[in-house]
């Protein structure tokens, strides 16, 4: 049995206003407060294309290595639906803005490029709220705030073979759109939605019947829906039950899929060119300007962190999950050239603190200069690694320099030989029995004596020096 999976992902473009009118795209406001004659499709209202939405679409298509087309066209996709007041959606059909391209994903067998078919720009529909959603007294209400919100739809080739791979694809795409700042990628707020095509075939040389699962709104649901559908289709094939080409709905509670409708063919929509919008022409200057502002891409940075800094694939992936983190790491390495130590400290102590604060790195006062300074102090023995954990919160919360923080907390490590020697003498007198044990050859007791000395110095003595001096005095 071979499973073949293709995805169609709708990504909301992060504009302040809608695709063809000036209404706000703000999420979660009172229903029907961001509407106008254009997005309601009232007679005589004319759409005007949002230039920012086009720029964001170009950016994402470029990052995905798509071929951008100099000329593309908007069409009307005609269908009736309660949350679609115009009874058509403006979308790109046979002349999309971009075709081809690929996105690398991590699989069990290493990194693999998933090929893309196309990317096109379109507007979103509204939202129906059924009695099951909220207490509406059995009615269905419609919120048109989403009508006309700009989307880019990315369609993949059937290049994935499992729910895990589809999950990875979505993760990788979300990382990219956030990295570029073209979308929040927030599935809970509908900023990223996914339709899945799954087919199971006993013959690896040809695809089985394509079944579509619509409107999955979490990564986990995508994986669960695919896992279920894989089993269901395999069972149908084993039983000799025909698998119709259809659109199915995923039931979150049951973890199963059920038929929704038979699959429409594209000619059911009676597409025709949108008469109210001109052809979309991309100029060389516009493309060059977007290309110039395209940052180093997450997978490029990830590979470079491995080759240039010797990070493990795990560390490199973790540090490039978000662009702000990756750039923070990079800047810290430039200041204090110790990439592996910085990586470990960021993934453990810094990550732990951010988790406690419920903040992202960029929401804190921590700077690359401060982190680099802190780690240098540990390395040069000015403070102990343990003491650095007391300093870090001050850097994160108040933005003071490591020097100021260490002084404020009185944490400078004492490396003054005479001061430590005095403490060592006291420890030997107060722990005469243990000192005798050490003298008669019990090496392990030294650890205990160093511990006593550290306690006396309130943790400030340089432990290495303390050990050496105790040994000298006892010898
Ligand atoms: Zn509007």
């Amino acid at each position: 049995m071979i499973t073949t999976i293709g995805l169609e992902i709708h990504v909301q473009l992060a504009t302040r206003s809608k695709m063809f009118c000036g209404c706000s795209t703000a999420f979660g406001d009172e229903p029907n407060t961001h509407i106008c004659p254009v997005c309601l499709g009232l007679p005589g209202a004319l759409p005007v294309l949002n230039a920012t939405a086009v720029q964001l679409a170009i950016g994402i298509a470029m990052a995905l290595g798509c071929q951008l087309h100099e000329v593309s066209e908007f069409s009307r996709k005609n269908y009736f639906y309660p949350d679609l007041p115009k009874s058509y959606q403006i979308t790109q059909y046979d002349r999309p803005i971009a075709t081809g391209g690929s996105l690398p994903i991590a699989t069990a067998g290493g990194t693999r490029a998933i090929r893309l078919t196309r990317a096109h720009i379109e507007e979103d529909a509204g939202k129906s709220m059924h009695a099951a959603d909220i207490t509406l007294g059995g009615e269905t209400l419609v919120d048109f705030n989403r009508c006309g919100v700009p989307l880019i739809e990315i369609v993949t080739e059937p290049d994935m073979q499992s729910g895990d791979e589809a999950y990875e694809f979505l993760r990788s795409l979300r990382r990219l759109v956030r990295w570029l700042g073209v979308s929040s990628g927030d599935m809970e707020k509908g900023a990223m939605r996914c339709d899945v095509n799954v087919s199971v075939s006993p013959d690896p040389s040809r695809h089985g019947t394509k079944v579509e699962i619509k409107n999955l709104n979490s990564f986990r649901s995508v994986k669960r829906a695919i896992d279920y559908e894989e089993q269901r289709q395999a069972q149908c094939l084993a039983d000799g039950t025909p698998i119709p080409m259809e659109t199915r709905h995923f039931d979150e509670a049951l973890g199963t899929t059920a038929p929704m409708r038979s699959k429409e063919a594209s000619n059911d929509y009676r597409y025709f060119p949108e008469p109210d919008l001109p052809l979309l022409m991309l100029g060389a200057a516009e493309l060059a300007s977007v290309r110039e502002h395209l940052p180093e891409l997450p997978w490029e940075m990830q590979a470079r962190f491995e080759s240039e800094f010797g990070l493990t694939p795990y560390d490199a992936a973790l540090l490039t999950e978000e662009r702000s983190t990756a750039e923070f790491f990079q800047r810290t390495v430039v200041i204090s050239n110790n990439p592996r130590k910085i990586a470990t400290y960021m993934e453990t102590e810094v990550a732990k603190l951010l988790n406690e604060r419920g903040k992202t790195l960029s929401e804190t006062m921590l700077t690359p200069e401060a982190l680099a300074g802190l780690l240098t102090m540990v390395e040069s023995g000015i403070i102990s690694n343990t003491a650095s954990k007391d300093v870090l919160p001050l850097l994160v919360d108040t933005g003071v320099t490591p020097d100021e923080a260490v002084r404020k907390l009185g944490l400078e490590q004492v490396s003054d030989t005479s001061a430590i020697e005095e403490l060592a003498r006291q420890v030997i007198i107060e722990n005469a029995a243990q000192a005798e044990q050490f003298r008669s050859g019990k090496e392990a007791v030294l650890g205990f004596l160093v511990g006593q000395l550290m306690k006396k110095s309130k943790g400030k003595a340089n432990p290495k020096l303390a050990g050496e001096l105790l040994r000298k005095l006892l010898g």
Side-chain angles (χ1 to χ4, degrees):
M1 291 290 176
I2 180 148
T3 304
T4 311
I5 299 157
L7 303 176
E8 293 171 18
I9 304 114
H10 290 90
V11 177
Q12 181 179 341
L13 296 167
T15 57
R16 284 207 301 268
S17 60
K18 293 186 182 179
M19 188 85 228
F20 301 113
C21 62
C23 291
S24 163
T25 55
F27 176 84
D29 286 348
E30 277 288 297
N32 301 312
T33 49
H34 303 310
I35 50 172
C36 75
V38 174
C39 53
L40 288 178
L42 301 187
L46 289 173
V48 177
L49 185 60
N50 183 329
T52 306
V54 175
Q55 265 175 11
L56 297 178
I58 295 173
I60 191 168
M62 233 173 226
L64 290 167
C66 304
Q67 193 201 341
L68 278 148
H69 299 291
E70 236 171 89
V71 183
S72 64
E73 186 178 50
F74 289 98
S75 293
R76 285 189 183 181
K77 181 182 183 180
N78 297 283
Y79 62 101
F80 172 81
Y81 211 70
D83 58 20
L84 189 75
K86 292 199 291 231
S87 282
Y88 65 84
Q89 178 191 22
I90 303 179
T91 178
Q92 295 192 307
Y93 175 51
D94 49 358
R95 300 177 79 184
I97 189 167
T99 49
S102 66
L103 178 70
I105 65 164
T107 69
T111 303
R112 205 171 85 229
I114 303 298
R115 293 168 305 153
L116 307 177
T117 313
R118 56 185 275 153
H120 66 256
I121 305 173
E122 64 183 30
E123 59 174 345
D124 207 352
K127 187 171 185 276
S128 300
M129 292 182 288
H130 307 292
D133 296 343
I134 43 172
T135 317
L136 296 171
E139 291 176 49
T140 290
L141 301 179
V142 192
D143 175 9
F144 292 130
N145 280 353
R146 279 199 76 83
C147 272
V149 163
L151 306 175
I152 184 166
E153 180 175 339
I154 295 160
V155 183
T156 78
E157 290 288 300
D159 275 359
M160 286 155 277
Q161 268 104 49
S162 68
D164 286 328
E165 289 187 1
Y167 186 97
E168 268 309 309
F169 183 91
L170 291 170
R171 254 170 50 98
S172 184
L173 183 64
R174 185 179 63 182
R175 174 172 76 157
L176 178 67
V177 299
R178 287 179 171 173
W179 192 276
L180 298 173
V182 301
S183 175
S184 73
D186 199 336
M187 281 189 119
E188 276 103 71
K189 292 182 181 168
M192 205 166 144
R193 297 195 301 273
C194 185
D195 300 341
V196 179
N197 290 305
V198 188
S199 72
V200 177
S201 168
D203 175 2
S205 67
R206 60 181 186 84
H207 295 164
T209 310
K210 193 161 92 174
V211 172
E212 185 182 33
I213 313 164
K214 275 263 183 223
N215 279 327
L216 295 159
N217 51 17
S218 76
F219 289 6
R220 213 171 87 83
S221 302
V222 169
K223 185 178 142 40
R224 287 172 71 211
I226 291 171
D227 290 348
Y228 173 80
E229 196 54 25
E230 217 174 354
Q231 275 183 13
R232 186 188 71 86
Q233 291 184 31
Q235 191 61 51
C236 287
L237 290 170
D239 299 345
T241 319
I243 299 171
M245 184 158 147
E246 64 186 357
T247 299
R248 296 175 74 90
H249 163 81
F250 178 64
D251 187 312
E252 293 276 350
L254 298 174
T256 59
T257 66
M260 212 159 95
R261 56 174 188 247
S262 63
K263 175 83 184 141
E264 316 82 354
S266 62
N267 56 10
D268 291 338
Y269 291 117
R270 292 290 182 265
Y271 284 95
F272 63 86
E274 165 61 58
D276 291 337
L277 285 166
L279 291 173
L280 175 57
M281 319 278 263
L282 303 182
E286 187 176 9
L287 294 180
S289 144
V290 176
R291 188 174 295 282
E292 200 183 311
H293 292 102
L294 212 58
E296 184 178 17
L297 298 173
W299 52 87
E300 292 170 349
M301 220 174 197
Q302 187 177 340
R304 191 166 58 75
F305 282 2
E306 287 179 44
S307 61
E308 197 178 320
F309 299 144
L311 297 192
T312 63
Y314 174 82
D315 288 346
L318 211 60
L319 287 168
T320 53
E321 190 52 44
E322 277 177 39
R323 186 170 158 192
S324 58
T325 309
E327 289 176 345
F328 187 102
F329 169 74
Q330 167 86 48
R331 296 214 308 273
T332 313
V333 171
V334 170
I335 303 165
S336 114
N337 188 20
N338 204 340
R340 275 189 269 183
K341 211 161 231 160
I342 297 167
T344 307
Y345 206 81
M346 281 180 71
E347 286 164 22
T348 51
E349 300 310 326
V350 177
K352 199 174 111 202
L353 203 60
L354 293 179
N355 201 22
E356 282 170 21
R357 300 284 191 272
K359 283 183 174 172
T360 64
L361 197 50
S362 47
E363 287 166 345
T364 74
M365 306 286 283
L366 187 66
T367 61
E369 290 74 18
L371 182 61
L374 180 65
L375 293 175
T376 305
M377 284 176 127
V378 174
E379 208 166 329
S380 56
I382 297 171
I383 57 169
S384 66
N385 192 49
T386 315
S388 78
K389 294 173 195 172
D390 295 328
V391 178
L392 188 63
L394 248 68
L395 307 184
V396 165
D397 297 331
T398 67
V400 294
T401 66
D403 279 337
E404 288 166 342
V406 165
R407 235 175 303 143
K408 201 167 175 182
L409 297 169
L411 285 171
E412 297 99 325
Q413 196 154 286
V414 175
S415 296
D416 172 355
T417 314
S418 58
I420 298 180
E421 201 167 321
E422 179 48 39
L423 293 175
R425 279 182 216 287
Q426 291 176 21
V427 167
I428 291 170
I429 295 166
E430 287 163 22
N431 301 277
Q434 284 83 354
E436 201 44 53
Q437 284 177 0
F438 179 80
R439 286 200 184 95
S440 59
K442 222 173 158 196
E443 266 292 310
V445 184
L446 188 68
F448 167 80
L449 295 171
V450 171
Q452 294 304 305
L453 195 153
M454 293 306 290
K455 212 191 265 175
K456 262 189 187 305
S457 75
K458 301 199 171 60
K460 286 199 229 164
N462 179 329
K464 192 159 162 272
L465 195 56
E468 284 166 12
L469 289 169
L470 277 165
R471 193 182 285 280
K472 195 184 88 183
L473 292 174
L474 289 165

